[in-house]
Amino acid sequence: MFADLRLRLRALFQRAQMEQELENELRFHLDRETEKHVRAGMSLADARRRARLEFGGVERIKDDVRDARGVGALDRVTQDLRYAARMLRARPGFTAAIVLTLGLGIGANAAMFGIIDRLLFRAPKYLIAPERVHRVFVSYIWDAQPRTERSIEYVRYTNLSAWTNAFDVTAVAAYRNLAVGTGDAAREMPVAVTSASFFDLFSAHPVIGRWFSREEDKPPMGTTVAVISYPYWQLTYAGSPNVLGRTLQIDRRIYTIVGVAPPGFVGITDQSSPAAFIPASAFAGSRNANYDHEYGWSWLDMFARRKETVPVTAANAELSTAYARTWDSEREASGSSGVTSRDAQARAFAAPVQLSRGPDAGPESKVASWVMAVAAIVLLIACANVANLLLARAVARRREIALRLALGVTRWRLIQQLLTETMLLAALGAIAGVAFAQWGGAALRTLILRDAEVSPVVQDPRTLLFVAGAALIVAVLTGLAPALQAAQADVAGTLKAGAREGTYHRSRLRTALLLFQGAFSLVLLVGAGLFMRSLANVRAERLGYDVDAVVYAEGVDRGVNLTDAAARALIQRLQDAARSTPGVTSASLTISVPFWSSEGRGAPKVPGRDSLSRLGRFMLQAGSPSYFETLGTRILRGRSFTESDNERAPPVALVSETMARVVWPGQDALGKVMRIGTDTMPYMTVIGVVEDIRSRDIRGDREFTYYMPIAQYNARYGDARPAFFIRTSGNAADFAPVLQRRMQREMPGASYIRAMPLRSLVAPQEQSWQFGATMFVAFGGLALVLAAIGLYSVVTYAVAQRVHELGVRIALGADVGDVVRLVLRQGVLFALGGIAIGSAIAIVAARAVQPLLYRESAYDIVVYGAVAALLLTVAVIATLRPALWATRVNPTEALRSD
Amino acid sequence: MSDRLDLPQGTLDLLILKSLSLAPQHGWAISERIHQVSRETLQVPQGSLYPALHRLERQGWISAEWGASDNNRRAKFYELTRAGRRQLEAETDAWKKLTDAVDLVLRMA
């Protein structure tokens, strides 16, 4: 057994040496035999001849020896491979077409697989027992609406940890963009703010130094120690081991570096990798003195590793009980106002760590799953195309195959050989596919995963494994039909049939493949149409403000303590700096930013009406008199704020259109009063009604928004932060860096200005449609091209087969039009068939796609019609060339060619 | 020439194993030895000798090593392994049983 294995391995790896040894062994034998004959009195020449004669054919013996050694099977494979390579080289155009087709199909799938894997399956690097590590979510009913959240308070985390028994490890983490470094070197970078226990979830060890300890993560203030990430260490400290003990300002405090995380360690995040890890207590302590015993500041994601013996249901039950307890102690702390945990149905549960698999999954993971299916269809179309080409060639090779069968090649050997050919093609296709995925995949990844770091295809073993699997399936799918067909060849019949390669007959299989291609191209293109229209609808949606003209800028304070007067002076200076920038038309202070941050102060109270909170969520916005002009939000009735609506003037407010209609149904909201908070607060008079805005969910219901003058807001709630909307006369994206520099000059100490076009905050909201549209267009286009190539090759082949028949027709007086019509008819029939079948499939799938669309019916007749027209046009174009070619058939030649 | 016999099917392996039972030999010597010991009755078909040797090696009954032959040329020497020795005994027994039985039948019938 062992000897066998050793020899087989040698046969594989030391082939040349073994061949040489065999040669020597046989030569030695011949020499000895010759010597023997010489000794018996023969001449050397005679002896040699006699020895050879007796020995027999050296090559045949070598073959037998190889067989005896068990290298024969391997030899056959290499022989098949060589033969296949020769066949492929002989027809480079054909080979290139197939490799390209398969490459596109496999590449599309490889790229999508990388993304899906990343979104849904792959566990974070270094994570121990990923199947038992969970992200904790809480859910409750608020304002009559069920809500699910993953951000919790620090104190709630300590409660949940203390009051549950189901977990080995509980930890928290928040990934925040914080200013790292000092002076000019300061950059805003993602920083992981974590509990010390967070590192217990991983099997990673710092490359130098250590993680921070529980002692260093003790509330309230913690210890200012930091572990920096490997890339940050390389980039900023050039990988110097002396980095330990050095200090680094992060956010408002100065941290001492105690360790460097290993390469690839990011903790648990979908976004770009953090520059540093700092203790949750050290960060929180500098922001909020009461974070460790007061509820209200929800900023952390909680992670927990379930004990091996505890099932998820039991863990969830424990978590829910503990969460209800925290809910009630929060209620007690606030003087027993608000809802009890029972009424709120407060519960907590353990979800997978991957956000895309949890309740918070964005539409991108759903869309990505769809696109994966689409990519698979493209691959199937590519396979159908290749199978079709191979079938066409198999017909052309019928005589060759029949001849080989007649010469005694077994059918099984023949199938092996043909499959080797498709394997080789699939392997080449896979290589091309990896190249395509590498190149096109980068674009894809930035589209879906934004700044998440994903290893490129060629470095990712999982994706490569997937590609290999896909190639194998492709080889079997494309190779089986032609191989089986060849193996059934009728030897005598084919050889007898003569040079005309038999008569023209349609293959049912090939017709089916072609219809399949057409049908799925239609399905994908319909998808493309639906997503494109959805995207257009989203873009055309008025959000209630001008997105492209406005820059949002805010001052970020880094531990510079200003007096109230100095802070007010700073805001004034910043506002002046913004307004004096050329191209800026107006600027306004703001407290809320769409899709970024918002302020809710509960539902207002209105005389004569019960609690309004059950109507939905009310958002508070405050701004300068120039607010509406700056944002472009239209005032429908009444007036805007003026400078005289200050803290000494009577309180005023503007309300959104829908809010006015719902709160004061059938009445004019102007002049009505409302108040926020307790009954001691003064009433505000409504002085204007403005159009609705969307600031939380682009698809959501109309929001209720009310506006206060910033002066009155400041007087009531304390001064707002320096945050501005700035309207520019051009493209806001160009102005953001200019404004950043201009306003930065006014900032004291290490504080800095962050400026971004409003569009960059809105764009992620459109992403899933943008992504769906791009993907469906790309893949749909690919499918259409493949189908067109398929149709072209089939029709061309059919024409070639019918040269004789066409010759007869022309000889009998058919004119050019007749011939063209004859050929075109074939293409058009295929297209119509594909359209009919594809439409049926699309209509069945429509229901599942509908929720992904925006204000677009999945049955949109315009889209279906346009795609059908496109398909027909392409079919005609693809058939036109063979049709014209058919008209040039020379009847005399065609008839004589036998 | 006419007193030469072709080897019955399956006996070549047995003869090779037997001729290796005394000392390691190279291929040519094996065929010579069989030829001589059988008083020139048995002629090893040379086309089968080497495939048989390699097959036996693969089965682990003999092992091969390159060494110097009596005229100082490098030759591949085959040697019986322990498994080969057992196999030789088993095959010899089987052969004896077979020939005895055939003998019996020939005499009695």
Side-chain angles (χ1 to χ4, degrees):
Chain A
M1 197 57 218
F2 175 71
D4 183 34
L5 184 69
R6 190 173 56 87
L7 287 176
R8 272 172 189 267
L9 286 178
R10 274 196 72 190
L12 258 179
F13 297 110
Q14 303 182 341
R15 209 183 150 70
Q17 190 188 342
M18 288 196 62
E19 285 291 310
Q20 186 59 50
E21 284 183 7
L22 183 58
E23 171 76 31
N24 290 347
E25 186 176 20
L26 297 184
R27 182 173 304 278
F28 174 79
H29 184 106
L30 279 174
D31 289 352
R32 292 303 294 259
E33 195 72 10
T34 310
E35 281 167 37
K36 190 179 85 178
H37 294 315
V38 169
R39 272 203 302 278
M42 272 191 208
S43 73
L44 185 61
D46 280 352
R48 195 168 281 158
R49 203 156 49 88
R50 169 106 186 258
R52 271 199 188 282
L53 219 60
E54 280 179 358
F55 197 67
V58 174
E59 285 311 314
R60 218 204 65 212
I61 291 178
K62 278 187 181 169
D63 263 354
D64 288 348
V65 169
R66 283 183 209 121
D67 268 348
R69 282 200 171 279
V71 293
L74 194 76
D75 258 6
R76 273 200 293 281
V77 171
T78 42
Q79 190 195 335
D80 281 358
L81 272 176
R82 255 184 238 131
Y83 181 75
R86 226 177 15 245
M87 292 307 287
L88 298 186
R89 260 204 310 269
R91 300 189 59 182
F94 171 81
T95 307
I98 288 182
V99 168
L100 202 70
T101 306
L102 290 181
L104 288 173
I106 293 176
N109 279 272
M112 278 317 297
F113 172 81
I115 289 166
I116 290 279
D117 184 38
R118 164 82 193 203
L119 276 176
L120 295 179
F121 302 118
R122 187 172 306 202
K125 211 172 173 185
Y126 298 110
L127 192 65
I128 300 169
E131 69 286 352
R132 287 191 286 121
V133 179
H134 300 282
R135 197 187 288 262
V136 175
F137 285 79
V138 299
S139 71
Y140 52 86
I141 293 181
W142 188 257
D143 281 356
Q145 278 172 11
R147 296 176 197 280
T148 300
E149 268 162 26
R150 59 192 170 93
S151 286
I152 61 169
E153 301 93 330
Y154 189 87
V155 53
R156 211 181 291 275
Y157 150 67
T158 43
N159 289 343
L160 290 178
S161 305
W163 298 342
T164 53
N165 214 0
F167 305 106
D168 295 333
V169 182
T170 58
V172 280
Y175 287 80
R176 295 211 155 197
N177 284 328
L178 300 175
V180 178
T182 30
D184 287 345
R187 295 278 179 284
E188 199 158 78
M189 277 188 250
V191 171
V193 182
T194 74
S195 61
S197 58
F198 187 64
F199 303 108
D200 297 344
L201 293 171
F202 303 91
S203 59
H205 299 286
V207 278
I208 56 169
R210 55 179 179 84
W211 301 124
F212 49 81
S213 67
R214 284 181 164 72
E215 277 305 302
E216 289 164 325
D217 182 27
K218 261 221 162 90
M221 287 310 280
T223 311
T224 49
V225 289
V227 172
I228 58 173
S229 74
Y230 192 87
Y232 187 73
W233 180 47
Q234 293 295 332
L235 226 65
T236 312
Y237 299 97
S240 157
N242 300 327
V243 73
L244 298 182
R246 292 187 42 186
T247 57
L248 178 65
Q249 182 171 4
I250 299 174
D251 194 41
R252 298 178 186 172
R253 301 179 76 182
I254 312 264
Y255 290 78
T256 306
I257 297 170
V258 295
V260 176
F265 181 82
V266 297
I268 303 174
T269 176
D270 280 346
Q271 302 300 313
S272 40
S273 63
F277 301 80
I278 57 172
S281 52
F283 171 78
S286 72
R287 290 289 179 109
N288 178 336
N290 305 319
Y291 74 95
D292 62 328
H293 56 271
E294 266 186 21
Y295 297 97
W297 181 29
S298 300
W299 61 289
L300 290 159
D301 277 27
M302 178 169 166
F303 299 96
R305 186 169 69 220
R306 195 159 39 82
K307 286 179 181 158
E308 241 163 313
T309 52
V310 179
V312 181
T313 44
N316 284 345
E318 257 195 38
L319 271 176
S320 289
T321 312
Y323 180 61
R325 231 175 115 185
T326 67
W327 183 283
D328 290 327
S329 52
E330 178 187 4
R331 186 164 168 268
E332 250 168 63
S334 66
S336 296
S337 67
V339 204
T340 61
S341 63
R342 178 192 292 270
D343 291 341
Q345 295 174 28
R347 54 188 203 92
F349 56 96
V353 281
Q354 293 94 338
L355 277 178
S356 322
R357 281 169 68 190
D360 236 10
E364 67 268 15
S365 58
K366 208 173 237 166
V367 174
S369 304
W370 270 95
V371 174
M372 184 82 226
V374 166
I377 291 176
V378 171
L379 184 57
L380 283 180
I381 293 177
C383 283
N385 225 346
V386 171
N388 231 335
L389 284 171
L390 288 174
L391 277 173
R393 207 174 53 131
V395 177
R397 277 169 80 177
R398 253 188 325 201
R399 283 172 62 80
E400 172 209 329
I401 285 164
L403 198 65
R404 297 183 53 192
L405 284 171
L407 289 176
V409 177
T410 64
R411 283 168 200 267
W412 172 234
R413 268 304 274 127
L414 200 68
I415 291 178
Q416 264 180 18
Q417 210 163 60
L418 292 173
L419 278 181
T420 308
E421 230 176 277
T422 48
M423 291 274 182
L424 192 63
L425 281 172
L428 291 175
I431 294 169
V434 168
F436 286 136
Q438 180 80 359
W439 170 63
L444 261 187
R445 282 192 301 274
T446 40
L447 201 57
I448 312 175
L449 300 172
R450 270 158 291 170
D451 37 4
E453 272 149 58
V454 184
S455 46
V457 175
V458 280
Q459 285 159 26
D460 182 21
R462 281 167 71 119
T463 306
L464 291 183
L465 205 65
F466 170 85
V467 167
L472 198 68
I473 293 171
V474 162
V476 173
L477 279 184
T478 55
L480 215 53
L484 290 179
Q485 202 181 52
Q488 285 163 5
D490 162 23
V491 178
T494 311
L495 290 180
K496 265 187 295 180
R500 216 202 304 143
E501 308 229 345
T503 41
Y504 167 70
H505 58 107
R506 261 176 232 185
S507 151
R508 223 176 271 164
L509 183 59
R510 304 190 56 198
T511 311
L513 286 175
L514 210 57
L515 284 177
F516 164 85
Q517 290 184 24
F520 277 96
S521 307
L522 177 115
V523 172
L524 298 189
L525 288 171
V526 164
L530 295 178
F531 270 92
M532 270 159 61
R533 287 182 60 119
S534 291
L535 182 64
N537 290 344
V538 171
R539 290 250 166 93
E541 193 72 53
R542 168 123 182 112
L543 294 173
Y545 43 85
D546 299 333
V547 180
D548 288 312
V550 179
V551 173
Y552 170 66
E554 61 180 14
V556 182
D557 154 39
R558 288 188 88 196
V560 180
N561 285 315
L562 298 177
T563 60
D564 285 356
R568 258 172 239 147
L570 172 65
I571 286 178
Q572 192 55 53
R573 282 205 309 281
L574 288 172
Q575 202 159 342
D576 292 344
R579 284 193 175 132
S580 65
T581 305
V584 168
T585 56
S586 71
S588 165
L589 273 162
T590 181
I591 58 167
S592 296
V593 187
F595 307 110
W596 177 259
S597 69
S598 61
E599 187 156 333
R601 297 248 169 209
K605 296 189 179 66
V606 174
R609 289 219 56 178
D610 286 343
S611 164
L612 295 174
S613 70
R614 68 191 61 223
L615 293 175
R617 228 179 222 198
F618 289 82
M619 308 304 298
L620 166 62
Q621 173 64 301
S624 315
S626 56
Y627 178 84
F628 297 102
E629 171 198 342
T630 305
L631 269 182
T633 302
R634 293 176 203 137
I635 296 175
L636 304 175
R637 286 197 301 281
R639 65 171 178 91
S640 172
F641 316 126
T642 60
E643 291 295 345
S644 51
D645 292 317
N646 57 25
E647 61 272 23
R648 290 177 300 279
V652 293
L654 281 87
V655 297
S656 68
E657 192 183 1
T658 301
M659 178 173 163
R661 201 177 52 241
V662 171
V663 175
W664 295 281
Q667 304 170 46
D668 189 359
L670 290 183
K672 296 283 185 306
V673 293
M674 60 182 198
R675 75 170 151 220
I676 317 163
T678 58
D679 292 345
T680 55
M681 289 294 182
Y683 277 112
M684 307 184 290
T685 307
V686 175
I687 56 168
V689 176
V690 298
E691 67 176 315
D692 288 334
I693 64 159
R694 280 159 193 265
S695 66
R696 285 183 300 137
D697 183 352
I698 223 167
R699 289 173 301 182
D701 296 327
R702 290 289 164 191
E703 296 165 14
F704 305 143
T705 319
Y706 54 95
Y707 302 83
M708 290 173 71
I710 192 83
Q712 295 181 353
Y713 172 91
N714 286 346
R716 187 186 280 206
Y717 297 111
D719 283 2
R721 296 177 312 126
F724 307 90
F725 285 131
I726 301 158
R727 189 183 187 85
T728 66
S729 56
N731 184 1
D734 303 332
F735 280 91
V738 178
L739 283 164
Q740 199 275 333
R741 280 195 300 276
R742 188 96 179 195
M743 294 166 75
Q744 179 65 56
R745 286 186 218 138
E746 308 296 337
M747 296 301 284
S751 309
Y752 60 98
I753 289 285
R754 180 194 281 153
M756 55 199 131
L758 208 47
R759 172 58 71 189
S760 70
L761 300 176
V762 177
Q765 302 292 319
E766 302 170 346
Q767 195 195 0
S768 64
W769 296 286
Q770 165 92 57
F771 172 59
T774 316
M775 290 295 90
F776 270 101
V777 167
F779 287 151
L782 195 57
L784 185 65
V785 170
L786 291 178
I789 294 173
L791 185 62
Y792 171 78
S793 64
V794 165
V795 173
T796 307
Y797 174 75
V799 169
Q801 293 292 295
R802 290 169 82 177
V803 164
H804 189 78
E805 178 206 324
L806 292 170
V808 174
R809 281 173 189 267
I810 292 170
L812 289 179
D815 62 17
V816 172
D818 289 336
V819 173
V820 168
R821 230 169 289 134
L822 193 70
V823 179
L824 278 186
R825 216 184 67 138
Q826 206 185 356
V828 170
L829 278 179
F830 270 122
L832 287 177
I835 288 167
I837 300 169
S839 301
I841 298 172
I843 285 168
V844 170
R847 210 172 3 168
V849 188
Q850 190 63 68
L852 299 174
L853 303 177
Y854 185 78
R855 298 193 173 202
E856 169 70 13
S857 161
Y859 305 96
D860 189 344
I861 191 79
V862 178
V863 171
Y864 281 70
V867 170
L870 177 65
L871 216 60
L872 262 178
T873 315
V874 169
V876 169
I877 293 171
T879 338
L880 213 53
R881 211 176 93 130
L884 291 178
W885 182 47
T887 61
R888 285 197 289 270
V889 167
N890 182 334
T892 10
E893 264 174 37
L895 293 177
R896 212 194 286 139
S897 73
D898 254 352
Chain B
M1 281 291 201
S2 56
D3 54 349
R4 280 189 182 182
L5 286 176
D6 284 336
L7 280 178
Q9 199 83 41
T11 48
L12 179 59
D13 290 4
L14 177 59
L15 295 181
I16 293 174
L17 292 176
K18 180 68 188 168
S19 43
L20 288 176
S21 65
L22 294 177
Q25 299 275 11
H26 48 74
W28 183 76
I30 293 171
S31 90
E32 281 301 292
R33 184 169 170 78
I34 293 173
H35 189 57
Q36 280 162 15
V37 171
S38 66
R39 305 207 185 88
E40 310 203 351
T41 316
L42 295 180
Q43 181 67 49
V44 178
Q46 312 215 352
S48 327
L49 176 65
Y50 286 93
L53 282 170
H54 285 260
R55 193 174 53 245
L56 291 173
E57 187 187 358
R58 194 181 135 202
Q59 277 161 341
W61 293 335
I62 60 177
S63 62
E65 202 171 321
W66 287 87
S69 74
D70 38 7
N71 64 351
N72 241 343
R73 279 191 49 186
R74 277 178 55 74
K76 196 174 178 188
F77 282 86
Y78 292 92
E79 183 179 9
L80 215 54
T81 64
R82 191 173 303 181
R85 211 165 279 283
R86 274 201 301 275
Q87 179 68 16
L88 172 60
E89 278 163 23
E91 274 190 37
T92 314
D93 278 357
W95 177 255
K96 284 218 176 98
K97 273 190 196 135
L98 176 70
T99 47
D100 286 355
V102 171
D103 220 27
L104 246 155
V105 172
L106 287 180
R107 248 183 266 168
M108 303 296 292

